[in-house]
Amino acid sequence: MRVFIAGVDGYLGWSLAMYLQARGHEVAGADSYHRRDWIAEMGSQSATPIRRMTDRLQAFRENFNTNLQFIRGDLTDYNFVWNFFRAFQPESIVHLAEMPSAPYSMIDAEHASFTHTNNLIGTLNILHVMRDVCPDAHMVKLGTMGEYGTPNIDIPEGFFEIEYRGRKDTLPFPKKAGSWYHQTKVHDTNNIMMACRFWGLRSTDIMQGPVFGTRIDEMGDDERLLTRFDFDQVFGTVINRYCAQAVIGYPLTPYGKGFQKRGFLPLRDSMQCLTITVENPPDKGEYRVFNQFEEVYDLTELAFLVQKVSKKLGLKVEIRNLENPRMELEEHYYNPDHQHLLDLGYVPAISIEDEMEIMLKDLMKYKHRIEARAHALIPDIRWDGSRRKVGFLDKKEG
Amino acid sequence: MRVFIAGVDGYLGWSLAMYLQARGHEVAGADSYHRRDWIAEMGSQSATPIRRMTDRLQAFRENFNTNLQFIRGDLTDYNFVWNFFRAFQPESIVHLAEMPSAPYSMIDAEHASFTHTNNLIGTLNILHVMRDVCPDAHMVKLGTMGEYGTPNIDIPEGFFEIEYRGRKDTLPFPKKAGSWYHQTKVHDTNNIMMACRFWGLRSTDIMQGPVFGTRIDEMGDDERLLTRFDFDQVFGTVINRYCAQAVIGYPLTPYGKGFQKRGFLPLRDSMQCLTITVENPPDKGEYRVFNQFEEVYDLTELAFLVQKVSKKLGLKVEIRNLENPRMELEEHYYNPDHQHLLDLGYVPAISIEDEMEIMLKDLMKYKHRIEARAHALIPDIRWDGSRRKVGFLDKKEG
């Protein structure tokens, strides 16, 4: 299948290009390199020493015996999208090209606006170009489980049948996102749903939980094929951040009470799920939602797991809760469905502890790169708009 | 109360400035004049001969013995919003400054993107400036009943308690908007709700139905005080369009089957409701929703009413259905609540037929201005992205 990956220089995008190529798909991609700039803006760097795109493409050619069609460009530029799609005629479009960080979007009005413009306009352009250039293509859109927030009822996959005052309808499940970033994903969801209804487009909206992991098998031993690994307060997701902390002997730092629950999955499962989705497109005009995660954990359970695996590797790791820079429920009901991908054949590939062990071993090689940016691990971006480093809740010396 | 009106040069904004001033409030306003440009872009003009802002301000001073503080500016410019709010310190912010047309937003990718950027960034800037400059102020935000779409169940005012799989929660009512414009209002709703939750702001989100009417009493006989009246396919709402058609002897043109139901209210009731809302702010941190309309009609009932009133005034009027350029349900269940404003004292001021009579008499004075832009009455902007004039459904000569 001809698959276009938007955001092919990113954590998921670069991995997916290899994963799909190894399975016989024809892959093309685009990226604006924004992510590299954002990480620099946050004073951090990828723990893995990622190469610039020209070197990545060279390594891709050597390892997969084929070229990855790549153009640097920005999805907010309509002409760029139109020209790329016109030439490549994608059958599947995997849209991983949005600004993906809650804290980044909460910095100030400018970052909130940038997040809205970047994420919404990019997706609007893809929808319009699909309508006019490749109306049968399938957009696999990366949303987030965070769109739902943490309601006090079960979370279905996108839609639910409700009875209200004696009448019934099937409606989109109400969303309650917790940052400007998460809101832009909700806005996208509403926009994509409408475009499918009006224009007969097909799309799968992936409500993905936080992903963790340093590698997939397709990277082999070629360091040039490594994907990025961010551990800073802004772009590092929780398990990745914990593992980076463990490797440099810094305490693991759940925010607040630490009983926030989320659904997590390893990078290799994210690749498996996205590929299953690409290979099983919805009907014309169909908009469907997959909740994409393997299992639900709370932040404290995860810290204990990282601690346990670290100990096995001879790393001594403390857990110390930090003041929560976010505004969120720290103890709540959480029971989201996640059946659609299992029905299509998703089989979790590895236990969470085995994956953590691989991660910690990988990261130990790059310990110096994490140490060099250790300051970036502790949040200072707060949901009230101020910017002050948070402190430990146990009041011991920090 | 110190009230800032965003969009004070518009249909509602200009009327509201007078309505509030006459009730003793201190009014300031801003406008970018975008609306004047959009109407020109659509090849149309206001039926009422509206004056440029400098003349309007002069007339305002003469009639209300006070100055209306005005600065030309754009809400998407953060510094503009910050400086205005810093100086004026509004207690109430009535936000009427969004691009308000469904067809305009559906023209192409560029208009869809403009609508998103203009509407969302303006509101985001207001929210951020409120947080930092006037955190106790109340934002009265113009949304639309169109955010809800036409679900097969009753529509509450914003929130509903649901039971799902044996558990209960009170959640935002699911939205199903029918154009990019309507989607931007849904996006705003989600954003404002979150800002109130995080930052303790207070806001009333007005889900308003289509407004009709040429005047409010405060305009008196001074033609310089008239508000704009658009009748074109893009910015003319249905009753206003029907009345313009009646005056020039053109058939009234419901779209499609013509059984689409909406909740309508006259301009003077819109002013009454907005003023009640301004004068009864919510608690700190409270986000509330008012469904703002007087009564539900379908498009055919409305055509018959305009026909009846026209006949009384000696105008002979036909009704001929047009091909529907939109994608929407043309026959559907529709039962939205609208109790909150009635509870606060809203008393509908006039019967729909009496208001139509006033409108037709006003518009007869400006018949030549409507005739000069009669071509703008018939839609060519279609929801499928094409631009072709629609035809009459009865196949007679058009």
Side-chain angles (χ1 to χ4, degrees):
Chain A
M1 209 180 271
R2 279 192 309 280
V3 186
F4 172 79
I5 300 174
V8 76
D9 189 44
Y11 179 50
L12 303 179
W14 180 243
S15 308
L16 187 63
M18 290 179 273
Y19 196 93
L20 287 172
Q21 188 66 57
R23 279 152 188 81
H25 296 290
E26 183 185 349
V27 182
D31 210 289
S32 65
Y33 304 148
H34 274 329
R35 176 64 165 267
R36 295 183 185 236
D37 294 337
W38 299 328
I39 298 296
E41 182 187 344
M42 291 305 115
S44 192
Q45 65 182 5
S46 167
T48 47
I50 54 165
R51 305 303 165 95
R52 58 185 187 177
M53 191 42 114
T54 44
D55 295 342
R56 286 185 145 184
L57 293 173
Q58 176 65 26
F60 192 96
R61 264 189 299 275
E62 290 172 21
N63 282 274
F64 298 96
N65 302 310
T66 187
N67 194 49
L68 169 64
Q69 196 184 124
F70 173 82
I71 303 184
R72 175 182 184 165
D74 193 319
L75 297 180
T76 63
D77 174 356
Y78 175 81
N79 290 332
F80 171 74
V81 181
W82 199 93
N83 283 301
F84 205 127
F85 285 21
R86 177 71 187 70
F88 183 66
Q89 291 289 333
E91 294 166 290
S92 198
I93 296 145
V94 186
H95 182 5
L96 307 171
E98 300 203 336
M99 200 298 293
S101 161
Y104 191 83
S105 73
M106 297 299 289
I107 292 175
D108 57 17
E110 190 174 323
H111 287 78
S113 292
F114 171 81
T115 306
H116 275 80
T117 308
N118 185 71
N119 292 4
L120 300 187
I121 306 306
T123 300
L124 282 172
N125 283 341
I126 290 179
L127 292 169
H128 280 85
V129 174
M130 284 175 73
R131 182 190 70 187
D132 296 337
V133 169
C134 49
D136 291 322
H138 169 207
M139 175 161 68
V140 181
K141 165 66 170 55
L142 194 68
T144 162
M145 283 298 295
E147 294 187 31
Y148 300 116
T150 52
N152 197 33
I153 56 178
D154 285 3
I155 298 173
E157 296 192 71
F159 296 89
F160 69 155
E161 198 197 39
I162 36 174
E163 188 171 328
Y164 183 56
R165 298 185 191 162
R167 295 179 63 91
K168 281 185 184 176
D169 202 352
T170 297
L171 292 172
F173 190 76
K175 309 296 192 299
K176 214 169 164 186
S179 77
W180 296 127
Y181 152 68
H182 290 98
Q183 290 291 1
T184 63
K185 295 284 192 178
V186 174
H187 308 337
D188 279 335
T189 286
N190 287 321
N191 285 349
I192 297 165
M193 207 184 315
M194 190 182 89
C196 290
R197 180 155 55 100
F198 286 164
W199 298 338
L201 304 181
R202 55 184 106 211
S203 182
T204 309
D205 210 346
I206 305 285
M207 304 301 156
Q208 186 172 252
V211 175
F212 58 98
T214 42
R215 62 168 52 251
I216 57 173
D217 295 343
E218 287 68 18
M219 293 170 190
D221 294 326
D222 191 335
E223 206 183 40
R224 296 173 304 166
L225 292 182
L226 279 175
T227 195
R228 63 177 312 117
F229 184 94
D230 294 307
F231 55 88
D232 61 283
Q233 59 155 329
V234 177
F235 291 92
T237 51
V238 59
I239 301 179
N240 288 0
R241 224 164 48 223
Y242 284 169
C243 289
Q245 290 173 320
V247 162
I248 63 167
Y250 197 87
L252 314 187
T253 52
Y255 297 162
K257 290 183 189 167
F259 302 129
Q260 301 91 319
K261 291 181 189 164
R262 300 289 185 269
F264 295 85
L265 79 170
L267 181 58
R268 63 188 82 235
D269 279 3
S270 173
M271 297 302 103
Q272 185 194 158
C273 289
L274 291 172
T275 302
I276 288 172
T277 305
V278 163
E279 292 173 350
N280 295 275
D283 292 336
K284 215 169 154 44
E286 184 182 351
Y287 166 85
R288 66 183 181 185
V289 175
F290 292 172
N291 291 350
Q292 180 166 307
F293 62 92
E294 187 192 339
E295 210 168 329
V296 170
Y297 299 91
D298 76 34
L299 303 188
T300 302
E301 290 175 289
L302 291 174
F304 282 126
L305 283 171
V306 172
Q307 190 178 44
K308 180 180 162 194
V309 178
S310 300
K311 194 174 173 187
K312 191 173 150 191
L313 300 180
L315 298 166
K316 193 169 172 312
V317 169
E318 258 192 314
I319 299 170
R320 290 182 68 188
N321 291 47
L322 278 176
E323 192 186 349
N324 195 343
R326 307 182 177 213
M327 293 177 185
E328 62 185 359
L329 292 180
E330 297 177 354
E331 272 187 292
H332 56 88
Y333 181 77
Y334 199 59
N335 189 31
D337 294 353
H338 55 133
Q339 190 58 42
H340 290 173
L341 279 160
L342 296 170
D343 289 346
L344 287 173
Y346 164 43
V347 181
I350 187 169
S351 79
I352 188 167
E353 292 182 40
D354 287 348
E355 188 69 58
M356 286 172 174
E357 188 172 334
I358 295 171
M359 291 171 70
L360 289 165
K361 285 177 179 164
D362 271 338
L363 290 175
M364 283 194 279
K365 285 179 259 177
Y366 306 116
K367 186 180 170 185
H368 60 289
R369 291 179 58 88
I370 302 168
E371 277 171 340
R373 297 293 187 280
H375 59 85
L377 279 160
I378 303 306
D380 66 351
I381 298 166
R382 297 173 186 244
W383 261 226
D384 66 2
S386 68
R387 199 144 181 192
R388 288 171 293 122
K389 283 270 180 205
V390 299
F392 289 107
L393 289 177
D394 57 14
K395 315 278 183 201
K396 287 192 294 181
E397 204 72 350
Chain B
M1 210 179 270
R2 280 191 309 281
V3 186
F4 172 79
I5 301 174
V8 76
D9 189 44
Y11 179 50
L12 303 180
W14 180 242
S15 308
L16 187 63
M18 290 179 274
Y19 196 92
L20 287 172
Q21 188 65 58
R23 279 153 189 80
H25 296 290
E26 184 185 349
V27 182
D31 209 289
S32 65
Y33 304 148
H34 273 329
R35 176 65 165 266
R36 294 182 186 236
D37 294 337
W38 299 328
I39 299 295
E41 181 187 345
M42 292 304 114
S44 191
Q45 65 182 4
S46 166
T48 47
I50 53 163
R51 304 304 166 94
R52 59 184 187 178
M53 190 43 111
T54 44
D55 296 342
R56 285 185 146 184
L57 294 173
Q58 175 65 26
F60 192 95
R61 266 190 296 276
E62 290 173 23
N63 282 274
F64 298 96
N65 302 310
T66 187
N67 195 49
L68 170 62
Q69 196 186 123
F70 174 83
I71 304 183
R72 176 182 184 164
D74 193 320
L75 298 180
T76 63
D77 174 356
Y78 175 81
N79 290 332
F80 171 72
V81 180
W82 199 92
N83 283 300
F84 205 127
F85 285 21
R86 178 70 187 71
F88 183 65
Q89 291 288 333
E91 294 166 291
S92 197
I93 296 145
V94 186
H95 182 5
L96 307 171
E98 299 203 337
M99 200 299 293
S101 161
Y104 191 84
S105 73
M106 297 298 289
I107 292 175
D108 58 17
E110 189 174 324
H111 287 77
S113 292
F114 171 80
T115 306
H116 275 78
T117 308
N118 185 71
N119 292 4
L120 299 188
I121 306 307
T123 300
L124 282 172
N125 282 341
I126 290 179
L127 292 169
H128 280 85
V129 174
M130 283 174 73
R131 182 191 70 187
D132 296 336
V133 170
C134 49
D136 291 321
H138 168 207
M139 175 162 69
V140 180
K141 166 66 169 54
L142 194 68
T144 162
M145 283 298 296
E147 293 186 32
Y148 300 116
T150 52
N152 197 34
I153 56 177
D154 286 2
I155 298 172
E157 297 192 70
F159 296 88
F160 69 155
E161 198 198 38
I162 36 174
E163 188 172 329
Y164 184 56
R165 298 185 191 163
R167 296 179 63 90
K168 282 184 184 177
D169 202 353
T170 296
L171 292 172
F173 191 76
K175 308 298 192 300
K176 216 172 163 185
S179 77
W180 296 127
Y181 152 68
H182 289 98
Q183 291 290 1
T184 62
K185 295 285 192 178
V186 174
H187 308 338
D188 280 334
T189 286
N190 287 322
N191 285 349
I192 297 166
M193 208 182 316
M194 191 182 89
C196 289
R197 180 156 54 101
F198 285 164
W199 298 338
L201 304 181
R202 55 184 106 211
S203 181
T204 308
D205 210 348
I206 304 285
M207 304 300 157
Q208 186 172 252
V211 175
F212 59 98
T214 43
R215 63 167 55 250
I216 57 172
D217 295 343
E218 287 68 18
M219 293 169 191
D221 294 325
D222 191 334
E223 206 183 40
R224 296 172 304 167
L225 293 181
L226 280 174
T227 195
R228 63 178 313 118
F229 184 95
D230 295 308
F231 54 87
D232 61 282
Q233 60 155 329
V234 177
F235 291 92
T237 51
V238 58
I239 302 179
N240 288 1
R241 224 163 49 224
Y242 284 169
C243 288
Q245 291 174 317
V247 162
I248 63 167
Y250 198 89
L252 314 187
T253 52
Y255 297 163
K257 289 183 189 167
F259 300 129
Q260 300 91 319
K261 290 181 189 164
R262 299 289 185 271
F264 295 85
L265 80 169
L267 181 59
R268 64 188 84 234
D269 279 5
S270 173
M271 298 302 103
Q272 185 194 157
C273 289
L274 291 173
T275 301
I276 287 172
T277 305
V278 163
E279 292 173 351
N280 294 277
D283 291 336
K284 212 165 155 48
E286 184 183 352
Y287 166 86
R288 65 183 180 184
V289 175
F290 291 173
N291 292 348
Q292 181 166 305
F293 63 92
E294 187 191 340
E295 210 168 327
V296 170
Y297 300 92
D298 76 34
L299 303 188
T300 303
E301 290 176 289
L302 291 174
F304 282 126
L305 283 171
V306 172
Q307 191 179 44
K308 181 180 160 193
V309 178
S310 299
K311 194 174 172 189
K312 189 173 150 192
L313 300 180
L315 298 167
K316 195 168 171 312
V317 170
E318 258 192 316
I319 299 169
R320 291 181 68 188
N321 291 48
L322 279 176
E323 191 185 349
N324 195 343
R326 305 182 178 213
M327 294 177 185
E328 61 185 359
L329 293 180
E330 297 178 353
E331 273 186 292
H332 56 88
Y333 181 76
Y334 198 59
N335 189 31
D337 294 353
H338 54 135
Q339 189 58 42
H340 291 173
L341 279 160
L342 296 169
D343 289 346
L344 287 174
Y346 165 42
V347 180
I350 188 171
S351 80
I352 187 166
E353 293 183 38
D354 287 348
E355 189 70 58
M356 286 172 174
E357 188 172 333
I358 295 171
M359 292 171 70
L360 289 165
K361 284 177 179 165
D362 271 339
L363 292 175
M364 283 194 280
K365 284 179 260 177
Y366 307 115
K367 186 180 169 184
H368 60 288
R369 290 179 59 88
I370 302 168
E371 277 171 340
R373 298 292 188 278
H375 60 85
L377 278 160
I378 304 305
D380 67 351
I381 298 166
R382 296 172 187 245
W383 262 225
D384 65 3
S386 68
R387 198 144 180 192
R388 290 171 293 119
K389 282 271 179 204
V390 300
F392 289 107
L393 289 176
D394 57 15
K395 314 279 185 203
K396 286 193 295 184
E397 204 71 351

